[in-house]
């Protein structure tokens, strides 16, 4: 069974993500990466790629249950064995809190290599190293490096880097009327509720990099 160009793009993203991170992207990460309007769109792509023999899906309810079929990942494997043309340098700006906000330490002289497919959409990108544990239920842990696209707006539910009184934090964005709530992904912690003050969005999370040693 053949697949369309867009289906191939989704498959390539899943395969490249698995190669880089050692596990598959979540449906939310796929949705955010491609700008899909609903999880139903993501599930349609997963269903077709599964039926076409490109991926296996161990458990539809598993957050990271997708596995690319090895025979279909020749192109992604070639990219991994010859990475230099397929990686780009982006600024590593310092630290961001995943608990209480801490001062962002900007140092544009520091950079990090990012797989080009991760930052394929037009825009400016930056990376920050996470401190804290407030996003652990979304799979974001201390010392992870998050990759963000710079933008001043976000959709409800997106994971954002927000700057509050000059300090940066990563949270889920939940605007509510005249207030903005920044929700942690840790049941022990409460949202940050903002109704004014020095607040702006610095970017939207589009990926992360994790080292195991």
């Amino acid at each position: 069974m053949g697949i369309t160009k867009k289906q191939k793009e989704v498959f390539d993203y899943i395969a490249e993500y698995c190669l880089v991170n050692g596990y598959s992207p979540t449906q939310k990460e796929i949705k955010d990466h491609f700008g899909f309007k609903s999880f139903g769109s993501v599930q349609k792509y997963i269903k077709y790629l599964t039926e076409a023999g490109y991926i296996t899906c161990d458990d539809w309810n598993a957050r990271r249950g997708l596995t690319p079929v090895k025979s279909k990942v020749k192109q992604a494997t070639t990219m991994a064995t010859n990475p230099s043309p397929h990686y780009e340098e982006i600024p590593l700006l310092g630290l961001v809190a995943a608990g209480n906000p801490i001062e962002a330490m900007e140092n544009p002289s520091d950079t990090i290599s990012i797989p080009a497919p991760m930052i394929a959409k037009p825009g400016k990108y930056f990376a920050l190293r996470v401190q804290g544990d407030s996003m652990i239920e979304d799979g974001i842990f201390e010392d992870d490096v998050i990759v963000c696209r710079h933008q001043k707006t976000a959709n409800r539910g997106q994971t954002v880097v927000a700057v509050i009184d000059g300090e940066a934090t990563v949270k889920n964005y939940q605007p509510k009327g005249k207030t903005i709530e920044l929700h942690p992904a840790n049941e022990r912690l409460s949202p940050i509720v903002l109704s004014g003050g020095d607040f702006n969005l610095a970017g939207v999370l589009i990926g992360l990099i994790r080292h195991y040693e």
Side-chain angles (χ1 to χ4, degrees):
M1 182 184 296
I3 60 175
T4 66
K5 179 181 178 181
K6 189 65 176 182
Q7 290 161 355
K8 178 65 161 51
E9 290 176 358
V10 174
F11 171 73
D12 285 344
Y13 171 73
I14 295 171
E16 180 71 7
Y17 190 105
C18 289
L19 284 170
V20 171
N21 296 285
Y23 50 82
S24 70
T26 64
Q27 291 189 23
K28 183 179 185 299
E29 288 166 337
I30 297 171
K31 175 177 173 290
D32 291 346
H33 179 82
F34 289 98
F36 294 140
K37 293 182 179 180
S38 69
F39 285 102
S41 297
V42 178
Q43 290 161 3
K44 287 179 181 178
Y45 279 97
I46 292 174
K47 182 176 184 293
Y48 198 96
L49 289 171
T50 302
E51 292 175 348
Y54 278 72
I55 63 174
T56 60
C57 186
D58 297 334
D59 183 351
W60 280 88
N61 292 319
R63 280 176 54 82
R64 301 188 185 275
L66 306 177
T67 303
V69 174
K70 290 183 178 180
S71 63
K72 302 293 186 180
V73 297
K74 181 178 179 181
Q75 180 179 2
T77 303
T78 301
M79 291 173 63
T81 57
N82 184 24
S84 56
H86 303 283
Y87 281 72
E88 296 185 17
E89 296 288 320
I90 65 172
L92 180 60
L93 297 183
L95 299 172
V96 62
N100 294 324
I102 62 172
E103 183 178 358
M105 298 189 301
E106 295 193 1
N107 188 354
S109 64
D110 290 339
T111 62
I112 188 169
S113 296
I114 300 296
M118 186 181 290
I119 54 175
K121 285 188 176 182
K124 294 182 179 180
Y125 291 84
F126 62 91
L128 291 165
R129 190 175 301 279
V130 172
Q131 287 191 340
D133 63 358
S134 77
M135 298 301 290
I136 57 175
E137 291 169 12
D138 277 357
I140 301 172
F141 300 100
E142 187 159 24
D143 291 329
D144 284 348
V145 174
I146 58 172
V147 180
C148 307
R149 184 172 56 251
H150 175 67
Q151 58 188 66
K152 295 294 186 181
T153 61
N155 296 324
R156 182 187 301 274
Q158 284 188 297
T159 302
V160 301
V161 175
V163 180
I164 307 169
D165 295 329
E167 300 179 333
T169 186
V170 55
K171 293 289 185 292
N172 291 325
Y173 181 67
Q174 296 289 344
K176 294 187 177 181
K178 295 183 179 181
T179 64
I180 293 172
E181 294 185 3
L182 300 176
H183 285 230
N186 184 328
E187 63 180 7
R188 297 187 295 104
L189 303 175
S190 300
I192 299 171
V193 180
L194 302 164
S195 58
D198 185 6
F199 163 79
N200 63 76
L201 293 180
V204 174
L205 178 70
I206 59 94
L208 65 80
I209 298 172
R210 177 173 298 148
H211 295 281
Y212 291 93
E213 294 184 350

